[in-house]
């Protein structure tokens, strides 16, 4: 209370002081008022930004920023560049406009690559574009799983051989990044494996490898051979049966041909 009284007394003294001091005080008050009023107007007119897209790949982010610059739409980038913000009142309009142009693509080109294919394209380029498109479409499909943030699919198609026994099978690898705090169940990994294998002609599930961004192999190879399916006990049982059948056949032959004459 005493401090407030002291300030009031000083202010009164300044106002009652000679005109020079009083003029300086009035000018200072007016200047501070103008600065405060200007700041208030600035913050009121400053656009309120809202997220347009998040969890974008670098390719998608770069293309969306380019489109925003073309349309002269103000934007902001998050610290890691994975999210783009635009003024709140333009969010839905911009989303619809970009969606009509196929953005965001989700980390790779899809079958829309054939929308720009010219008639002079060679068969090799057509096959290459098809492989790129298939990889992109599979990546987009896998990203639909709520646990997955990013996904990339790489397909290797061997050259065709004139001899069937020398023809190699196509292979694929899937790199996934799960969302924070989420993991994939073994059944989901198996689903990804079969999804990719079913989309590529001649590909077997055993030739699909799923890896996460930590370098861990999530997919398991299934040994489809007979030895891989049988346990040690089952193999022993099988050998005993085979040995028993062998002795029975040997005995029957010896009855007809004579002892030690059957091989």
């Amino acid at each position: 209370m005493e401090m407030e009284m002291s300030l009031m007394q000083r202010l009164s003294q300044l106002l009652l002081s000679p005109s020079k001091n009083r003029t300086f005080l009035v000018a200072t008050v007016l200047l501070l008022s103008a600065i405060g009023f200007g700041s208030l107007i600035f913050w009121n007119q400053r656009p309120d930004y809202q997220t347009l897209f998040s969890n974008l790949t670098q390719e998608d982010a770069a293309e969306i920023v380019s489109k925003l610059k073309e349309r002269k739409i103000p934007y902001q980038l998050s610290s890691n560049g994975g999210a783009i913000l635009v003024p709140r009142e333009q969010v839905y309009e911009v989303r619809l406009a970009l969606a009509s142009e196929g953005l965001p693509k989700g980390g790779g080109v899809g079958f829309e690559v054939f929308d720009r294919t010219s008639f002079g394209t060679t068969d090799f380029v057509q096959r290459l574009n098809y492989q790129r498109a298939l990889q992109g479409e599979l990546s987009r499909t896998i990203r639909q799983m709520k646990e997955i943030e990013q996904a990339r699919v790489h397909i290797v198609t061997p050259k065709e051989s004139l001899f069937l026994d020398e023809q190699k099978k196509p292979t694929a690898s899937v790199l996934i990044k799960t969302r924070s705090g989420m993991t994939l169940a073994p059944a989901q990994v198996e689903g990804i494996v079969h999804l990719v294998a079913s989309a590529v002609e001649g590909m077997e599930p055993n030739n699909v490898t799923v890896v996460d961004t930590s370098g861990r192999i999530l997919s398991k190879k299934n040994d489809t051979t007979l030895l891989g399916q049988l346990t040690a006990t089952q193999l022993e049982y099988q050998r005993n049966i085979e040995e028993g059948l062998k002795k029975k056949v040997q005995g029957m032959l010896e009855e007809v041909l004579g002892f030690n004459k059957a091989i």
Side-chain angles (χ1 to χ4, degrees):
M1 189 67 180
E2 293 180 359
M3 184 177 295
E4 293 179 359
M5 292 295 296
S6 176
L7 289 174
M8 291 297 294
Q9 290 176 357
R10 290 181 182 179
L11 183 60
S12 300
Q13 290 175 0
L14 286 172
L15 290 173
L16 296 174
S17 62
S19 58
K20 186 176 181 180
N21 291 337
R22 188 167 57 249
T23 302
F24 175 76
L25 176 62
V26 172
T28 302
V29 171
L30 290 175
L31 178 61
L32 293 176
S33 299
I35 293 174
F37 185 69
S39 300
L40 183 62
I41 293 176
F42 172 78
W43 285 105
N44 285 336
Q45 292 182 346
R46 184 173 178 268
D48 181 19
Y49 283 85
Q50 185 175 335
T51 301
L52 178 67
F53 295 112
S54 60
N55 297 322
L56 292 170
T57 62
Q58 292 182 352
E59 295 85 355
D60 279 342
E63 194 162 352
I64 290 173
V65 166
S66 177
K67 294 294 183 182
L68 293 176
K69 288 181 178 179
E70 288 178 7
R71 299 169 182 266
K72 297 182 179 179
I73 298 173
Y75 67 90
Q76 291 181 349
L77 291 174
S78 63
S79 57
N80 60 357
I84 298 177
L85 298 85
V86 297
R88 179 185 294 273
E89 63 274 8
Q90 294 181 276
V91 168
Y92 298 106
E93 179 184 351
V94 175
R95 278 181 186 168
L96 289 174
L98 293 175
S100 66
E101 299 185 32
L103 292 172
K105 296 177 180 177
V109 66
F111 284 118
E112 69 273 5
V113 69
F114 293 104
D115 296 338
R116 302 185 296 272
T117 302
S118 62
F119 289 104
T121 305
T122 63
D123 290 341
F124 172 77
V125 174
Q126 286 279 35
R127 289 196 300 269
L128 185 61
N129 283 340
Y130 176 78
Q131 182 168 320
R132 289 177 56 209
L134 184 58
Q135 291 175 164
E137 292 293 337
L138 285 170
S139 298
R140 293 176 184 178
T141 302
I142 294 171
R143 284 188 63 195
Q144 298 304 309
M145 300 175 67
K146 64 180 181 180
E147 293 85 359
I148 295 179
E149 181 177 327
Q150 297 290 344
R152 296 295 295 268
V153 178
H154 303 276
I155 298 172
V156 177
T157 305
K159 294 181 179 179
E160 294 184 1
S161 174
L162 296 175
F163 305 99
L164 292 177
D165 56 345
E166 295 181 1
Q167 180 64 50
K168 295 182 179 180
K169 297 288 186 180
T171 61
S173 58
V174 183
L175 177 66
I176 62 172
K177 178 183 179 182
T178 55
R179 299 187 186 279
S180 178
M182 292 188 175
T183 57
L184 289 176
Q188 291 175 303
V189 176
E190 193 71 15
I192 293 174
V193 168
H194 284 275
L195 171 70
V196 175
S198 301
V200 182
E201 183 179 359
M203 183 175 291
E204 298 177 355
N206 267 2
N207 290 332
V208 180
T209 302
V210 181
V211 184
D212 65 10
T213 50
S214 299
R216 295 180 302 169
I217 298 178
L218 304 180
S219 56
K220 295 181 179 179
K221 302 297 182 182
N222 296 320
D223 192 348
T224 57
T225 64
L226 181 61
L227 291 177
Q229 295 175 350
L230 298 178
T231 64
T233 304
Q234 290 172 322
L235 286 172
E236 182 66 24
Y237 179 71
Q238 179 182 338
R239 282 194 291 267
N240 291 337
I241 292 178
E242 291 174 351
E243 189 66 26
L245 290 174
K246 180 180 177 181
K247 289 180 179 179
K248 286 183 179 180
V249 173
Q250 184 78 15
M252 293 172 61
L253 291 174
E254 287 181 348
E255 289 180 0
V256 176
L257 301 176
F259 184 71
N260 286 337
K261 291 185 178 181
I263 300 176

